[in-house]
Each structure stands twice: as C-alpha cells, then as structure tokens.
Amino acid sequence: MKNIQHLMKLVFLTGMIALLGMVRVGNVQARSLEAIRASKEIRVCITPDLSVATAEPADCNENCVFSGPVCEEVSAFAETLGSDIKPRFIKIEWDEQFYNKEGKTVYEAEYSPELLASGKCDIFPSNLTKNEWRSKKMDFVTVFPSRMMVIIHKSKKAAFKTAADLSGKCVSVVLNTSYYTWIQEQNQTVYQKNLVKFEFAHSDEEATEYVMAGKADFTLIDADKAIWIIRNKLKDAAVAFPVGHTDEIGWAFCKDDKDLQAAVQKFFDENRSDASVLNRIWEKYFGLTLNKFISIIRATK
C-alpha cells in the first residue's frame, strides 16, 4: 500500500514539474509563426518616430492610427504570410523594447525582452541598430546598412568639421539608443578630458527639434532618418559629417522564433529588384529607392 501511495505521489510530483516546466517555457518564448497564422494577426510593436511611423492622435496610447514607411513595409510582409493575416500595430516607448520582467534594461544580461517573451509583441520593426548588448537579448534581420550622421543647425556648419569638434558640446539623444551608446563610449576615450554633455529627448524628432531651438549643439541620427527629416520636416537642419562604423539596421525578434525570422529574411531577399514593393515604399517617403540608399551608404567613407 505504501509503495502504491509513494508511486502516486511520484507521478503527481512528476506531473507538476512537467506542468511548471511548460509554464516556464511559455513565459520565455514568443509566439511561433504557426501561432501567428492561427490567430490571423501579427503583433507589431512600434515606437513612432521620424522615418519609421506616425501615430494619430499624437497622444494616443491605444487605438492609434498608424502610418508611415515601416507600417507599409510590415503590411506588405504580412500579406506574404497569407491574405487573411493582418498586422496589429501597438504603440510602445523606445525603452520598452529592452525591458526585462522587472521593467528594466540590463545591458550586460542575456534575457528575452518581456514584450516578446510574453507574446504581446511578435516583432520590433522600428529600424533598430544591431549592437553587442542588444544582441544578447534578441535576434535581428538586417534591412539596410547605415551610418550615424551628426545633425546641426545649418548656421553652425563652420563649427562642425570633424568628430573632434563634438568634444565639450551638448548632444540631444534618446536614452538607450545606439547614439547614446556611441557618445558614452567616446566620453570614456577620446572625449574624456572634455566630455560631451547630454540633453535627453523622448524621440529622435524631439532631439532634432532641440538642436534647431538651440537647446543642444547637435544630435545623431541614422542616415535614413537624416534624409527624411531634411526632406520632409526641418529645412534648417544640416548634416555635418558621419561618425562611427557602418551599422546594421533591422527588425528585431525573440531569439527562439527562427521561423518568423526566416520568413522576414525571405521577404527582404525577394524585394531587392528596383521595381519591388520595398523600393516603391522608399521612393515614396525618401525620394530614392532602398537599393540606391544602400549604394550611397556603401560608398560613404
């Protein structure tokens, strides 16, 4: 009898361990491509900003109406998954893309960002720069290469000739962006004796507006955003020069979700012809195709 009771306890305990294991796994894995197709929606979490997307009304948190190049790109991708698959756009703050379960960004730690792990978001397509600390948390599918551009008021061109001229100046950036990371690295090395000071903004657009208003001396934005903002938004903004290495800009995913990554990679691979939907979207918003933009970046020294 005791043996039977012992066996029943063992079976119960084994079942509980298995159940807990399933719960644990469910909390750290994003939705699979199969689950996305079954739900007939792909959950797209976007931080509205400059050349990425806009959300209306501007102060919306839910039920926002999204528009812009990335929204069109994601919608085009969703169609490749099936005519009945629709994107559901969700507005998030920039930092939320990197938060752990405690709502914190821990640079040196390896973890799946909670928005991806919980299944609230399937994809972060806000043109993230791939770097070392982000790669510990998510995988990337590269959309295009880019360079960071120093953006100034056009009246100050004479004062900004080389990267050495940034020393001691004030930069406006968003916290935890690749721009912030680069300035921090320079402050620990080449600008150590005359640090670049920070004026933090909530978006790249706000950071650039701070520069135009004289609240900061310069900002850093990727080349695609530089083209967009000077063409469409701020006529007094000017590109001084590029800094840093060539970066990989892309969409980010939970590391475990290889099927979705492969589908997105295939979408970009198949949209490299000049007449592709991706190139048409770029020409509409930037005045040049994605292919042309990539050629320009590769030629930039």
Side-chain angles (χ1 to χ4, degrees):
M1 185 68 177
K2 288 183 179 180
N3 288 339
I4 294 174
Q5 291 176 338
H6 177 73
L7 180 61
M8 291 177 65
K9 288 180 181 179
L10 184 60
V11 170
F12 176 77
L13 181 60
T14 302
M16 286 300 294
I17 291 172
L19 179 60
L20 288 171
M22 289 173 64
V23 171
R24 181 183 62 80
V25 170
N27 284 336
V28 299
Q29 288 186 337
R31 298 196 311 155
S32 66
L33 186 55
E34 182 181 358
I36 290 170
R37 284 195 168 110
S39 69
K40 300 188 184 306
E41 71 172 17
I42 181 167
R43 298 167 186 171
V44 184
C45 290
I46 287 185
T47 301
D49 196 28
L50 289 178
S51 60
V52 173
T54 58
E56 297 293 340
D59 60 350
C60 67
N61 289 314
E62 296 183 357
N63 302 317
C64 305
V65 178
F66 286 87
S67 61
V70 169
C71 296
E72 293 191 26
E73 290 169 8
V74 172
S75 296
F77 165 68
E79 289 181 7
T80 68
L81 300 180
S83 58
D84 58 343
I85 309 297
K86 304 299 179 185
R88 178 158 72 92
F89 294 103
I90 302 167
K91 183 182 179 182
I92 62 172
E93 297 297 323
W94 179 262
D95 270 6
E96 289 184 272
Q97 296 174 107
F98 318 112
Y99 282 171
N100 60 16
K101 286 185 177 182
E102 287 70 46
K104 297 179 180 179
T105 300
V106 185
Y107 282 83
E108 65 278 7
E110 295 185 16
Y111 58 85
S112 293
E114 181 61 16
L115 287 178
L116 293 175
S118 66
K120 179 177 179 179
C121 305
D122 297 319
I123 182 173
F124 294 151
S126 296
N127 290 343
L128 284 84
T129 300
K130 181 180 178 180
N131 59 27
E132 184 178 358
W133 71 265
R134 290 176 183 169
S135 295
K136 293 178 180 179
K137 299 163 178 57
M138 56 187 80
D139 280 346
F140 293 79
V141 172
T142 300
V143 182
F144 54 86
S146 192
R147 293 286 302 277
M148 289 185 294
M149 300 291 172
V150 175
I151 303 298
I152 59 172
H153 193 285
K154 65 182 182 182
S155 64
K156 294 187 176 182
K157 275 191 171 183
F160 290 85
K161 297 296 185 182
T162 69
D165 296 326
L166 304 182
S167 180
K169 300 294 197 303
C170 178
V171 64
S172 182
V173 292
V174 180
L175 188 66
N176 288 332
T177 55
S178 55
Y179 321 130
Y180 169 76
T181 300
W182 187 82
I183 292 291
Q184 284 283 66
E185 291 171 350
Q186 304 312 300
N187 273 347
Q188 294 169 11
T189 53
V190 294
Y191 303 147
Q192 192 173 22
K193 293 182 179 180
N194 196 10
L195 301 177
V196 173
K197 297 173 285 294
F198 289 97
E199 178 70 35
F200 290 112
H202 292 97
S203 68
D204 290 341
E205 183 172 7
E206 185 176 72
T208 310
E209 289 171 350
Y210 282 179
V211 174
M212 297 303 102
K215 293 182 179 179
D217 297 308
F218 73 98
T219 188
L220 299 176
I221 57 176
D222 289 321
D224 61 304
K225 293 183 179 183
I227 291 172
W228 188 94
I229 198 168
I230 292 172
R231 181 174 186 260
N232 299 298
K233 184 80 175 176
L234 300 174
K235 303 304 180 184
D236 288 333
V239 174
F241 46 80
V243 293
H245 300 292
T246 300
D247 295 314
E248 293 181 46
I249 310 297
W251 296 0
F253 308 83
C254 183
K255 285 181 173 293
D256 292 334
D257 200 355
K258 302 300 184 186
D259 287 348
L260 181 56
Q261 293 174 44
V264 170
Q265 184 65 67
K266 181 181 178 183
F267 169 72
F268 286 120
D269 289 345
E270 293 178 348
N271 271 273
R272 293 306 183 189
S273 70
D274 288 337
S276 70
V277 62
L278 206 54
N279 276 300
R280 291 199 302 271
I281 291 170
W282 267 70
E283 193 152 28
K284 172 183 174 181
Y285 285 97
F286 298 98
L288 76 169
T289 65
L290 176 57
N291 288 354
K292 180 64 175 177
F293 174 80
I294 292 173
S295 296
I296 292 171
I297 294 300
R298 287 176 175 165
T300 302
K301 302 296 184 183

